[in-house]
Amino acid sequence: MFTTRPTLQGTFGMVSTTHWLASQSAMAVLEDGGNAYDAAVAAGFVLHVVEPHLNGPAGEVPVIVAPADGEVRVLCGQGVAPAGATIAHYRGLGLDLVPGTGPLAAAVPGAFDAWMLLLRDHGTKSLAAVLKYAIGYAADGHAPVERVGETVETVRELFETEWTSSADVYLPGGRAPRPGELFRNPALADTWRRLLAEISAEPGTTDAAGTPGEAERVRQIEAAREVWRSGFIAEALVRQARRPTLDTSGERHTGTLTPADLASWSASYEAPATYDWRGWTLCKAGPWSQGPVLLQQLALLPPRLPLYGSADYVHLLIEGCKLAMADREAWYGDAAEVPLDTLLSEPYNAARRALVGHRASCELRPGGPGGREPRMSGHARVVAAGEPGFDAPAVPGAGEPTVARGGTDPRVAPDGGTRGDTCHLDIVDRWGNMVAATPSGGWLQSNPVVPELGFPLGTRLQMAWLEEGLPNSLTPGRRPRTTLTPSLALRDGVPVLAFGTPGGDQQDQWQTHFFLSVALRAEVRGGLDLQGAIDEPNWHNDSFPGSFYPRAMHPGSVTVESRMDPGVVEELRRRGHHVQVGEAWSEGRLCAVARDPETGVLSAGANPRGMQGYAVGR
């Protein structure tokens, strides 16, 4: 099969991320003797610099960690709702949805502390050693990708009139970042330099080369965590949260984040949610994320699948996804117990599987695990019923197909607000350590830049509902349900594949299609055909309430790449799917790495869409 790039193979190390500078920075760490976790932290901080429209240090990151000599764990870098973020407070402000921007949407920042725990517990390098790449790009500049400047232009008026601290960083001299010209963020570089200065090595704790011993390395990381929680960084974050800020509601609001919220929260480890399918074990973050949606989609598959890529095959996956996403809406969240064992059980999924018919469904149909009554927000019921607030799709007619952009890039909402997206990284090293991480939030378009720090707060609380008694109700001390969902797969109990993608609600759709392509298609050069699976024509549907403000739904919609077989497209339309045909390379931004446990051969692939994701390795 022709692919846009080769599936890389080697034995030393493999990296795949959504930006080439992050990939090469991670590879430099591996070349310098670091392991996969050192490299992941370096890449994560570089992504904060080079993809600021897609993630930032005050955002969030779930990480799946698979040490060569240990068990698979999920590192949760999703912060909780602050103590003052109550439904009564938001309702008292006249809101029925959490705004999509501004400090009211800010959870306790989670990404920084998760990177610190990953480095402390699994890495070998000092914080200075892994931060130097991000500091260099922030201080000396990097040539930005097109989307950075395009995103800034969509919010230019807001920056110039309201969020002026953001204009200072992203519109210097009134000029947005441009490809081919160096763009700098000196405030961010200064933040990391000040942090390193405050945690500098104690006398007698480093060797002749200035490298700290293990005890000193850990002490410095812990000191950095304290600076973030209660030092100059925490103080600046709280000051920003208290500033009245114009948000998507059209009003100026202050946030609820306090010093106590920052001081009391820590990233944490937990067991992954898993599902066994045809000899594979898929590992995901729990139902505080949308991760189990991928597991449910696999559980809904019949024993015998239609021909790969056929209309029957695509229809089956679309309809199964609708059922899994309906269960996400009714059952997933951190504010109530989630009956995940039942949701993944064969009896439950056999009954759900029977709901898939020959025609496309335009209903939101959550199940009732254990006979329980599904619990959905009033907003979800309204948009599912097509009442006011419903955002219906255009139904293609007989002429030229509707052209739609893929769901991977920032976009401008009807109210003028912008929605951000996400990054991803996968790494495997020569020792067999493997990691998948999906950093997001803290976008340049989410909140004003904190002037003393060079980066903004996040907006993940927009995913929680302002209605009591739901699994995803806004609840102090609980995580808003996130769309971020890295993946890791085992064979016979051994980690062999790490993968993921940006894309909000589309993440576990594209990842399911990718995984099935890997699992069902032929190998290449004796290994998994990662690049071939990434390059396959992809698609997504929006037949469920979206996770982002204003939480729209498009019953029956399917967006496909124009490379999909026209016969398949016509058959899907005949079955009642509202098919929009997008650009040829518009669906998905997948990354993947793999390791063959028998041979030790490592492999990697990266998404060609957007022309910035790259895999490197040797």
Side-chain angles (χ1 to χ4, degrees), residues 162-522:
E162 294 280 346
W163 297 8
T164 54
S165 60
S166 297
D168 291 342
V169 174
Y170 290 104
L171 288 167
R175 186 181 176 93
R178 295 190 179 188
E181 299 179 1
L182 289 180
F183 173 72
R184 298 173 175 85
N185 187 342
L188 179 57
D190 289 344
T191 295
W192 299 144
R193 286 168 173 161
R194 180 177 173 183
L195 173 71
L196 293 177
E198 291 197 9
I199 67 167
S200 59
E202 297 178 345
T205 59
T206 61
D207 61 20
T211 302
E214 179 60 15
E216 174 62 14
R217 187 187 78 89
V218 171
R219 185 202 68 78
Q220 290 180 20
I221 294 170
E222 285 299 313
R225 297 179 72 202
E226 286 307 308
V227 171
W228 180 274
R229 290 171 169 174
S230 58
F232 79 93
I233 294 177
E235 293 168 357
L237 291 173
V238 171
R239 277 195 301 272
Q240 183 62 49
R242 290 174 175 170
R243 292 186 176 109
T245 301
L246 183 67
D247 59 36
T248 52
S249 72
E251 303 291 335
R252 293 177 180 83
H253 292 114
T254 57
T256 61
L257 187 69
T258 67
D261 294 318
L262 285 165
S264 62
W265 185 82
S266 170
S268 59
Y269 293 96
E270 59 189 52
T274 62
Y275 184 77
D276 295 331
W277 187 81
R278 296 193 180 185
W280 295 84
T281 299
L282 276 295
C283 300
K284 301 289 286 185
W288 52 268
S289 75
Q290 72 170 346
V293 163
L294 188 153
L295 308 183
Q296 281 199 253
Q297 288 177 88
L298 295 178
L300 284 162
L301 294 175
R304 185 170 182 177
L305 295 178
L307 177 67
Y308 178 87
S310 66
D312 286 339
Y313 177 85
V314 177
H315 172 79
L316 176 70
L317 293 186
I318 292 170
E319 295 304 298
C321 176
K322 291 175 184 177
L323 295 174
M325 284 296 200
D327 278 346
R328 183 193 77 163
E329 188 56 47
W331 299 107
Y332 290 20
D334 196 35
E337 182 183 355
V338 180
L340 188 58
D341 288 345
T342 305
L343 290 170
L344 296 177
S345 68
E346 175 53 29
Y348 177 78
N349 284 286
R352 299 284 279 159
R353 196 179 300 131
L355 297 176
V356 176
H358 185 74
R359 297 281 298 174
S361 170
C362 290
E363 298 178 81
L364 189 65
R365 299 181 291 177
R372 308 183 195 188
E373 191 68 25
R375 295 172 293 172
M376 292 196 300
S377 72
H379 179 90
R381 292 192 298 270
V382 165
V383 299
E387 301 295 333
F390 164 70
D391 189 3
V395 180
E400 291 291 317
T402 302
V403 177
R405 296 187 68 163
T408 60
D409 296 319
R411 60 191 65 188
V412 181
D415 61 3
T418 56
R419 196 189 88 183
D421 198 8
T422 301
C423 309
H424 187 78
L425 64 89
D426 300 302
I427 304 174
V428 60
D429 63 28
R430 62 188 184 275
W431 301 287
N433 299 304
M434 191 174 287
V435 60
T438 310
S440 185
W443 311 307
L444 67 85
Q445 64 275 26
S446 65
N447 258 300
V449 166
V450 184
E452 304 94 325
L453 303 178
F455 59 84
L457 287 163
T459 55
R460 194 60 57 173
L461 291 187
Q462 67 180 288
M463 299 189 170
W465 293 113
L466 297 181
E467 184 175 329
E468 301 284 0
L470 302 173
N472 192 31
S473 295
L474 180 66
T475 307
R478 296 289 183 170
R479 296 166 288 193
R481 189 187 68 217
T482 179
T483 54
L484 308 177
T485 171
S487 301
L488 196 136
L490 296 77
R491 294 280 283 183
D492 301 319
V494 179
V496 297
L497 174 64
F499 59 101
T501 179
D505 293 315
Q506 286 80 52
Q507 289 180 34
D508 277 317
Q509 300 186 55
W510 294 330
Q511 290 185 76
T512 299
H513 309 158
F514 164 81
F515 171 72
L516 290 174
S517 180
V518 167
L520 298 174
R521 296 171 72 255

